[in-house]
Amino acid sequence: MRLSRYFLPVLKEDPSEASIASHRLMLRAGMIKQAAAGIYSWLPLGFKVLKRIEQIVHEEQQRAGHIPMLMPTLQSADLWRESGRYDDYGDEMLRIKDRHGRDMLYGPTNEELITDIFRAHVNSYKDLPLTLYHIQWKFRDEVRPRFGVMRGREFLMKDGYNFDLTKEDALHAYNRHLVSYIRSYERMGLQAIPMRADSGPIGGDDTHEFLVLAETGESEVFYDSAVTDIRLGARDIDYDDVAQCRGVMEEFTALYARTDETHDETVFAQVPQDRRRSARGIEVGQIFYFGTKYSDPMGASVVGPDGTRTPVHMGSHGIGVSRLLGAIIEANHDERGIIWPEGVTPFHVGIVNLKQGDDQADAACDMLYSALVAKGLEPLYDDREERAGGKFATMDLIGLPWRITVGPRGLKTGVVELTSRRTGESVEMTPEAAVARLAEIYAQTQG
Ligand code: 5CA
């Protein structure tokens, strides 16, 4: 993409409505624009990152054997009356009447809808296990929408639902989700720690939230600092291997890590004192096992191997896709702007032409551009007639992890400069070497 032809409405000044870094930087980098309280338009740059995150979530869910689909945003109130949650959900639910006076709602989550689909089409235990998911907009009429996309009213969520014959099978689904979530977050360059949490309006006994540690996080958390040393990394996972998934779950949840809702001072006191931490975190996902809470009242059952009908065991599992942009920026920025992890960056590399209009510099940039594209990389070429300082400031603000600077001086000896946004380090090399280096770096971020 050539910047002169793109739509990147960066702001020069800090917007007054933004109190935390991610909100401020998303507005300044022209990624989002508020449409109403807690409701945002996703401008091209923000939309690109949102799609990259979605893509990682899709790949990792399907790797775990979960099946993508799409349910609508508007739902009928009748289903929610069946589960008993129409009244329970309270003012957070946006209620709407259609022209016939029928009660509708903008879905805050989809347990009822998916259970209805299941009971209409699945009848036998032979069709289990089954996990369906979608990535769809949700609406929750939060009392205090704030921090930009972090606590929106309209937000994008991946929500998945497992249907299993037994509690044991459903717990395997729970573990599978835990593992696949950690993998997804790691690919986004994030450490999100599973913490024992409270199930709130979703219900159930078993639930973990995934928290990214950040001073601006809304949740208070307590943990054993040794938990921050655990990584999934590149290990091979067989999602059908019940013992392996349980093993990973146990490894990640054995140490003390809880949100304030489940925090227990007496248990916490058993953690060695020098490892006891209290901090703040951003909740980027939550998994639940709730047994037959929805399948029972809604009649979602299967005929088991012994010929009798039993309600299915269920769980639901959510990732805050739009919130993740905020969380990633909170964890990756400096005073000059965003620093995207390679896995989610909107463009792989920025090309800065120091002397636009100079035949040699223009030709070198065009060649670089084509060579990067040929390697499957997406460059953003700043081809505007602007001072170098302004071009650098824009690149630093929007946070592409790598920048190639092309100028007449370097071209005299056949070199360009490759700069890391994170470390600020610059290395001179030939354009071919820069392309090869970037191709190598990005090959490592593939799932
Ligand atoms: N049905 C379950 C799991 S599918 C569910 O709704 N879980 S949840 O309530 O925990 O939401 C899942 C994730 O969505 C949260 O972990 C959080 O990351 C994100 N989320 C929740 N509320 C908001 C909000 N107001 N703005 C942005 N993201 C949100």
Side-chain angles (χ1 to χ4, degrees):
M1 178 58 66
R2 283 168 173 268
L3 192 45
S4 64
R5 297 181 196 166
Y6 199 43
F7 181 66
L8 184 72
V10 300
L11 306 179
K12 291 241 159 15
E13 305 294 326
D14 276 341
S16 58
E17 72 264 34
S19 59
I20 65 168
S22 56
H23 187 194
R24 188 176 74 240
L25 290 169
M26 286 183 80
L27 291 169
R28 280 205 53 205
M31 295 176 68
I32 51 168
K33 182 179 186 306
Q34 184 174 307
I39 305 178
Y40 289 87
S41 295
W42 293 78
L43 306 182
L45 192 74
F47 181 61
K48 244 170 160 324
V49 181
L50 193 67
K51 287 285 151 190
R52 292 242 198 252
I53 293 175
E54 262 190 65
Q55 185 59 30
I56 291 178
V57 172
H58 272 304
E59 285 172 15
E60 293 305 328
Q61 286 311 298
Q62 288 169 56
R63 196 195 298 277
H66 306 157
I67 306 168
M69 62 177 296
L70 187 61
M71 289 175 270
T73 52
L74 294 182
Q75 304 182 19
S76 154
D78 292 343
L79 278 178
W80 288 71
R81 292 198 175 100
E82 270 188 63
S83 73
R85 280 208 297 181
Y86 190 61
D87 296 324
D88 290 357
Y89 223 95
D91 287 341
E92 254 189 34
M93 181 185 277
L94 181 65
R95 294 151 207 262
I96 307 158
K97 267 195 203 302
D98 72 7
R99 62 162 69 193
H100 305 291
R102 282 188 288 249
D103 290 323
M104 312 279 292
L105 57 98
Y106 194 127
T109 175
N110 283 53
E111 280 79 3
E112 284 74 1
L113 206 51
I114 196 81
T115 308
D116 183 50
I117 291 169
F118 180 89
R119 71 181 171 186
H121 298 291
V122 182
N123 204 25
S124 160
Y125 77 97
K126 290 180 189 149
D127 296 323
L128 306 183
L130 179 65
T131 296
L132 299 167
Y133 79 92
H134 71 163
I135 299 182
Q136 177 62 294
W137 293 93
K138 305 289 186 291
F139 195 95
R140 292 183 188 171
D141 206 350
E142 302 274 352
V143 193
R144 267 214 315 153
R146 58 183 183 153
F147 300 157
V149 299
M150 205 81 98
R151 180 162 297 278
R153 292 198 296 165
E154 188 188 50
F155 59 97
L156 191 59
M157 192 205 284
K158 171 263 157 182
D159 41 326
Y161 304 86
N162 69 283
F163 301 90
D164 289 279
L165 183 61
T166 63
K167 176 172 183 179
E168 208 176 32
D169 292 347
L171 290 178
H172 173 53
Y174 187 88
N175 297 341
R176 227 170 39 228
H177 278 90
L178 185 136
V179 179
S180 67
Y181 277 25
I182 292 171
R183 241 190 103 105
S184 309
Y185 299 129
E186 285 189 5
R187 278 187 65 188
M188 296 170 202
L190 277 182
Q191 178 172 42
I193 304 168
M195 301 203 180
R196 185 158 290 285
D198 182 67
S199 63
I202 309 289
D205 306 325
D206 279 301
T207 182
H208 281 91
E209 286 182 2
F210 294 79
L211 285 117
V212 174
L213 298 175
E215 276 168 28
T216 48
E218 291 188 287
S219 315
E220 196 180 6
V221 298
F222 301 85
Y223 61 97
D224 178 335
S225 65
V227 82
T228 60
D229 297 330
I230 312 171
R231 294 284 184 291
L232 197 57
R235 66 180 104 161
D236 257 338
I237 301 287
D238 174 358
Y239 283 102
D240 289 330
D241 185 336
V242 172
Q244 189 193 23
C245 291
R246 191 193 312 118
V248 175
M249 183 276 289
E250 285 167 357
E251 179 186 346
F252 275 86
T253 58
L255 293 168
Y256 192 95
R258 298 192 188 185
T259 62
D260 56 354
E261 297 150 348
T262 57
H263 176 58
D264 183 332
E265 277 296 342
T266 34
V267 188
F268 194 45
Q270 289 158 24
V271 176
Q273 183 153 20
D274 61 328
R275 298 204 323 236
R276 263 178 250 158
R277 299 278 187 284
S278 78
R280 302 201 69 81
I282 302 166
E283 180 206 323
V284 292
Q286 187 162 8
I287 54 177
F288 302 84
Y289 163 72
F290 43 67
T292 59
K293 171 174 163 140
Y294 299 90
S295 53
D296 226 353
M298 294 184 66
S301 59
V302 289
V303 177
D306 60 357
T308 60
R309 220 167 231 294
T310 46
V312 287
H313 285 258
M314 291 176 62
S316 72
H317 315 276
I319 293 184
V321 173
S322 49
R323 176 179 288 181
L324 271 165
L325 275 95
I328 293 170
I329 296 173
E330 286 302 320
N332 297 280
H333 70 272
D334 62 15
E335 65 295 340
R336 285 175 292 139
I338 303 166
I339 308 171
W340 291 114
E342 270 103 0
V344 298
T345 184
F347 293 95
H348 296 110
V349 53
I351 303 174
V352 169
N353 187 343
L354 290 179
K355 201 162 182 201
Q356 204 67 45
D358 174 276
D359 286 348
Q360 221 198 343
D362 291 1
C365 287
D366 288 343
M367 271 179 51
L368 245 174
Y369 191 98
S370 309
L372 288 161
V373 171
K375 288 278 185 199
L377 299 175
E378 226 183 324
L380 178 67
Y381 171 21
D382 191 344
D383 59 344
R384 298 169 306 158
E385 307 272 346
E386 240 217 67
R387 282 179 312 104
K391 290 190 175 185
F392 289 148
T394 302
M395 284 295 174
D396 284 349
L397 173 64
I398 68 171
L400 309 185
W402 297 96
R403 185 185 81 207
I404 302 179
T405 311
V406 180
R409 202 165 49 86
L411 288 177
K412 271 193 196 124
T413 54
V415 295
V416 297
E417 205 178 59
L418 180 65
T419 307
S420 155
R421 172 68 180 87
R422 194 172 289 276
T423 64
E425 262 177 297
S426 290
V427 186
E428 287 194 338
M429 53 180 88
T430 62
E432 296 73 27
V435 172
R437 178 87 192 93
L438 288 168
E440 192 187 341
I441 289 167
Y442 281 106
Q444 285 163 16
T445 68
Q446 300 295 309

